[in-house]
Amino acid sequence: MSTQDETFEFQVEAQQLLQLMIHSIYSNKDIFLRELVSNASDALDKLRLESLRDHEIQAAADTSDLHVQIESDTEQRTLTVRDNGIGMSRDDVVGLIGMIAKSGTKQFVQDLKEAKEAQDENASQELIGQFGVGFYSSFMVADKVSLVTRKAGESEGTRWESDGTGTYTIGTAEDAPQGTAVTLHLKPEDTEDSLFDYTSETKIKEIVKRYSDFITWPIKMAVPAKAEAKDDAESDDADAEDAAADEDVTVLETVNSMKALWARSQSEVTDEEYSEFYKHISHDWSDPLETIRIQAEGTFEYQSLLFIPSRAPMDLFMQERKRGVQLYVKRVFIMDDCEALMPEYLRFVKGVVDAQDLSLNVSRETLQQDRQIQMMQRRLVKKVLSTVKEMRTKNPERYDTFWSEFGKAVKEGLLSDFDNRDAILDIASFDTTHDPDKQTSLRDYVERMKEGQQHIYYLTGESRSVIENSPHMEAFRDKGYEVLLLTDQVDEVWAESAPEFDGKQFQSISKGQVDLDTEEEKEEVKAEREQREKEFAELLSWMTTALQDNVKEVRLSSRLTTSPACIVTDANDLPPALENMYRAMGQPMPTAKRILELNPTHALVSGLRTAHGEGGKEEQLGETAELLYGMALLADGGEPVDRSRFVGLLADRLERTL
């Protein structure tokens, strides 16, 4: 019975998601049962964990026979997945099932619609797995879904029900048992639409064996009793022989093996089993990109089974994301997202670590300081990085997928994991001027360096095209020097802090002085340079004074060949993008003045020198200097200090040319 029923409307995005599920294009609808069993298993894990930590729950909750039970009714065409785990309160039901309150919902639904319209089943499944809405997959096979739940330690249960058409009802469920039961009122069987008889014992066992065999909790279902079992069940009954003939006698049978994959020999586990286990722990619907096994023996023993996903989750760069791998102690689940085992920059790695020597009552705070956990983390990180390095050599296509999905996150490790900085740089890939269609490794860059080149040159910017068209590139392009083109926000930070790779220091081509001439070339143009310095000395001194509010120096450039001017950051100053980043994080940063470099061979610059030498009008000369500075800022991706004034000066000059 349920009382106090209330009807609510789904959020718009939730309604759209339900309709996509109801009118699903998936050829494999069996996965709905995997999702429900996985949710039930999670609920059992959470109850076991809470009973270890909370004495009140330990006293109030029954943990003597934790299991998942699947019940089917052929006549009523219902399928129920039941667990006696942690359960949910009314607020939990509203928050977790009645609505979808995650950020990114609108974009997610739009992406899912596009995948459906394109009839791309794999893309649809991957999107749903990333968003974590497996419960809604029930509507692929059911006309109505009912949920009855009671949270462990509470006395009142909750009932939720919906036909997926836009509303749901919630009421109080009297006498609800501890845990959660999800009942599906199944659609008619339609094999042409991949809707099978999900009340069939054979079909249920087939799905459980394929997708959930490794789950560590028993998955039970009622099956017809064998003759011996019937005799045992009715051994005290005087009419035992008649009971043995009764076809309605059933027994609960455990239909999964419950064998932990990480504890089994690698030769005993198939790729499909690894894949299904990954989907279970990650709630992703796509296969993993790579599987990593670790068996540590000796004074500190543990087993680990890690996975690198094939696609970045939607929340990879969201603050509220969860990260970390599952922690077990001697096969007992302890923690779902153990952050202490995996650093922030490897937050996409999923998996299980099973330690032999930790306390079952260990807390997150204790883990952060635990020496054994720290040792495990170092080993796990090194294994993940070495696996990616091996992937790059043996399976370049798979590596390319990895780097395109997770490269931005991995590069964050250059700022936090100094012990592994060389290893991270060794697996990184970058756009460069060497090949417009292919990224390169730093090792390949170093092998291609010109004789006598001492630096790894790079330039940061918003996009490849912006960087390639930067005035800073001109001399490097003309002389054939390869330049790394760094477009990720994190590049601004690590490139400033990373000292070197393979003995070669990183050097921004927009900082300090640039001199690409050989000693022989310097000698050839020495006299010409000295003469230019004399000719432009007065102009440079005057412009430095005229623009002193914005620049620290105006000087001649050796990096420009076609542009009239460019902005350069002093060798000891932070670039503007990095200054802005620190300010956004709340750190007060003074604005460092930059250097304006002029191209002495450009007609505009040489004309300005002539006009200044001939005593031109001070006001017009000052305006030209402002325009030069403003154009240099624009070319560098910035903008003039006073945009209105810049536009006005430019319009006035253009008018005079007509």
Side-chain angles (χ1 to χ4, degrees):
M1 293 288 295
S2 67
T3 59
Q4 302 174 16
D5 283 359
E6 294 182 81
T7 300
F8 301 89
E9 286 192 2
F10 283 106
Q11 292 175 316
V12 174
E13 291 84 359
Q15 290 185 35
Q16 293 173 342
L17 178 61
L18 282 168
Q19 290 306 306
L20 287 169
M21 287 292 188
I22 291 169
H23 304 290
S24 171
I25 60 169
Y26 306 147
S27 61
N28 181 15
K29 295 180 172 61
D30 294 357
I31 48 183
F32 83 91
L33 186 54
R34 179 188 72 191
E35 294 301 308
L36 295 181
V37 170
S38 184
N39 290 344
S41 173
D42 289 346
L44 296 172
D45 285 338
K46 289 174 182 176
L47 179 58
R48 167 75 71 82
L49 183 60
E50 289 302 315
S51 67
L52 290 171
R53 294 177 175 172
D54 190 324
H55 293 299
E56 291 185 7
I57 289 183
Q58 188 179 57
D62 180 8
T63 59
S64 60
D65 181 27
L66 298 180
H67 64 277
V68 180
Q69 187 166 332
I70 301 175
E71 303 166 359
S72 64
D73 187 324
T74 304
E75 292 185 4
Q76 297 295 322
R77 289 202 51 76
T78 61
L79 180 70
T80 299
V81 178
R82 185 186 307 277
D83 69 74
N84 54 350
I86 192 69
M88 291 182 282
S89 66
R90 184 187 180 97
D91 289 343
D92 291 335
V93 173
V94 173
L96 296 175
I97 298 178
M99 64 179 66
I100 303 175
K102 293 187 177 181
S103 58
T105 301
K106 190 172 183 178
Q107 184 60 47
F108 160 75
V109 172
Q110 181 60 38
D111 291 344
L112 190 59
K113 278 184 178 178
E114 292 175 0
K116 184 179 186 298
E117 290 169 359
Q119 296 189 341
D120 188 342
E121 179 178 338
N122 290 332
S124 300
Q125 292 188 11
E126 287 168 4
L127 281 166
I128 290 173
Q130 289 171 50
F131 206 70
V133 288
F135 171 80
Y136 288 88
S137 64
S138 302
F139 287 95
M140 293 192 298
V141 299
D143 290 321
K144 183 172 70 173
V145 177
S146 303
L147 178 146
V148 176
T149 184
R150 178 171 65 81
K151 193 164 188 174
E154 295 187 0
S155 58
E156 189 173 82
T158 301
R159 179 181 181 85
W160 178 98
E161 188 171 278
S162 177
D163 60 4
T165 58
T167 63
Y168 59 92
T169 60
I170 290 185
T172 301
E174 303 292 346
D175 302 323
Q178 168 191 303
T180 301
V182 180
T183 299
L184 279 59
H185 299 262
L186 297 167
K187 296 178 181 179
E189 184 178 352
D190 184 355
T191 53
E192 291 186 3
D193 192 29
S194 299
L195 276 169
F196 302 104
D197 181 7
Y198 293 112
T199 65
S200 162
E201 175 192 332
T202 302
K203 184 62 178 177
I204 294 170
K205 285 184 175 180
E206 172 200 320
I207 296 173
V208 170
K209 188 68 178 176
R210 184 190 313 147
Y211 295 123
S212 309
D213 190 58
F214 47 79
I215 284 178
T216 53
W217 301 105
I219 302 172
K220 300 179 180 182
M221 64 180 297
V223 298
K226 296 179 181 179
E228 302 82 16
K230 295 173 188 175
D231 289 340
D232 292 340
E234 303 291 347
S235 59
D236 295 330
D237 195 319
D239 202 13
E241 290 185 6
D242 292 339
D246 186 354
E247 292 300 320
D248 291 334
V249 175
T250 60
V251 294
L252 283 179
E253 177 184 317
T254 299
V255 294
N256 63 321
S257 69
M258 296 184 290
K259 291 182 179 178
L261 261 66
W262 61 88
R264 291 162 57 183
S265 169
Q266 194 163 355
S267 61
E268 297 177 359
V269 186
T270 66
D271 290 343
E272 184 179 13
E273 287 178 306
Y274 280 134
S275 180
E276 291 308 324
F277 180 71
Y278 162 74
K279 293 172 183 177
H280 164 66
I281 62 173
S282 67
H283 298 286
D284 190 356
W285 289 21
S286 55
D287 293 332
L289 186 68
E290 195 71 33
T291 302
I292 305 171
R293 285 192 59 142
I294 301 175
Q295 179 86 25
E297 299 178 346
T299 55
F300 183 48
E301 296 185 1
Y302 63 91
Q303 298 164 315
S304 178
L305 181 57
L306 304 179
F307 300 94
I308 297 175
S310 57
R311 183 172 297 196
M314 296 182 69
D315 63 353
L316 184 62
F317 295 101
M318 295 181 183
Q319 287 187 342
E320 63 270 24
R321 65 182 175 270
K322 290 185 177 181
R323 68 175 178 88
V325 298
Q326 292 185 352
L327 175 63
Y328 283 71
V329 175
K330 297 178 182 177
R331 312 282 176 84
V332 176
F333 175 78
I334 301 298
M335 196 174 299
D336 197 24
D337 304 294
C338 184
E339 297 181 356
L341 284 171
M342 200 59 61
E344 177 77 12
Y345 71 95
L346 295 179
R347 55 188 174 272
F348 52 86
V349 175
K350 303 297 181 183
V352 167
V353 174
D354 189 354
Q356 303 301 308
D357 304 309
L358 290 176
S359 166
L360 290 175
N361 205 23
V362 68
S363 68
R364 290 184 184 271
E365 292 73 25
T366 304
L367 285 174
Q368 296 292 343
Q369 307 299 325
D370 191 281
R371 187 179 65 87
Q372 292 179 332
I373 289 289
Q374 292 172 354
M375 289 172 56
M376 280 197 291
Q377 191 209 63
R378 286 195 291 270
R379 175 81 183 277
L380 296 175
V381 169
K382 288 185 182 298
K383 184 64 175 178
V384 170
L385 296 179
S386 65
T387 299
V388 175
K389 183 177 181 180
E390 184 178 2
M391 190 195 308
R392 181 176 211 153
T393 303
K394 295 184 177 180
N395 198 323
E397 288 186 6
R398 190 176 295 179
Y399 165 81
D400 289 343
T401 297
F402 166 82
W403 192 253
S404 66
E405 295 293 326
F406 305 110
K408 290 181 183 180
V410 172
K411 285 189 287 187
E412 293 173 13
L414 296 170
L415 305 174
S416 57
D417 190 354
F418 301 124
D419 291 339
N420 289 300
R421 184 150 56 183
D422 289 344
I424 296 171
L425 287 172
D426 210 16
I427 66 170
S429 288
F430 304 96
D431 288 330
T432 85
T433 53
H434 175 71
D435 188 335
D437 301 317
K438 185 179 179 182
Q439 291 190 317
T440 190
S441 68
L442 291 176
R443 200 158 297 284
D444 289 342
Y445 177 100
V446 170
E447 289 179 0
R448 291 193 296 265
M449 284 174 59
K450 287 178 171 290
E451 185 178 351
Q453 182 178 341
Q454 296 301 314
H455 298 95
I456 297 174
Y457 294 116
Y458 72 88
L459 184 59
T460 61
E462 293 181 359
S463 66
R464 182 184 183 111
S465 61
V466 168
I467 298 174
E468 286 181 325
N469 292 310
S470 169
H472 297 290
M473 294 289 298
E474 293 173 3
F476 290 85
R477 186 184 299 112
D478 287 354
K479 290 185 175 292
Y481 281 89
E482 184 175 357
V483 179
L484 302 181
L485 311 176
L486 307 182
T487 57
D488 294 333
Q489 192 175 36
V490 68
D491 293 330
E492 290 278 3
V493 190
W494 77 257
E496 284 287 323
S497 61
E500 62 176 26
F501 176 80
D502 200 22
K504 304 294 183 181
Q505 291 187 326
F506 292 94
Q507 174 64 53
S508 169
I509 67 172
S510 67
K511 287 190 69 172
Q513 294 278 8
V514 168
D515 195 345
L516 302 178
D517 291 339
T518 64
E519 292 301 322
E520 184 177 339
E521 289 172 333
K522 289 178 185 177
E523 193 61 35
E524 290 178 1
V525 299
K526 181 179 180 181
E528 182 181 352
R529 281 189 176 182
E530 291 177 350
Q531 180 61 31
R532 279 181 176 164
E533 290 290 345
K534 292 179 181 178
E535 292 174 352
F536 281 84
E538 289 188 13
L539 176 67
L540 298 177
S541 176
W542 169 76
M543 285 188 68
T544 298
T545 302
L547 299 172
Q548 62 183 342
D549 290 341
N550 299 309
V551 302
K552 66 167 57 178
E553 179 187 0
V554 181
R555 67 191 184 198
L556 295 183
S557 179
S558 58
R559 70 185 89 212
L560 297 175
T561 59
T562 57
S563 298
C566 69
I567 293 292
V568 177
T569 301
D570 203 351
N572 298 318
D573 291 339
L574 291 177
L578 201 51
E579 283 184 4
N580 294 334
M581 196 180 303
Y582 285 132
R583 289 193 193 100
M585 293 187 293
Q587 298 186 31
M589 295 291 298
T591 301
K593 292 182 181 180
R594 301 173 73 194
I595 299 166
L596 177 64
E597 287 193 351
L598 304 180
N599 178 3
T601 65
H602 195 279
L604 178 57
V605 176
S606 60
L608 181 59
R609 179 188 67 83
T610 301
H612 179 267
E614 293 176 351
K617 293 183 178 179
E618 188 79 14
E619 183 179 354
Q620 291 185 359
L621 292 175
E623 291 175 353
T624 303
E626 277 190 66
L627 287 170
L628 262 176
Y629 173 61
M631 289 190 296
L633 283 172
L634 288 170
D636 193 53
E639 60 181 43
V641 178
D642 187 339
R643 287 179 292 178
S644 297
R645 176 172 172 78
F646 177 82
V647 171
L649 290 175
L650 183 60
D652 182 61
R653 289 304 174 91
L654 289 173
E655 183 183 350
R656 295 181 194 179
T657 64
L658 297 176

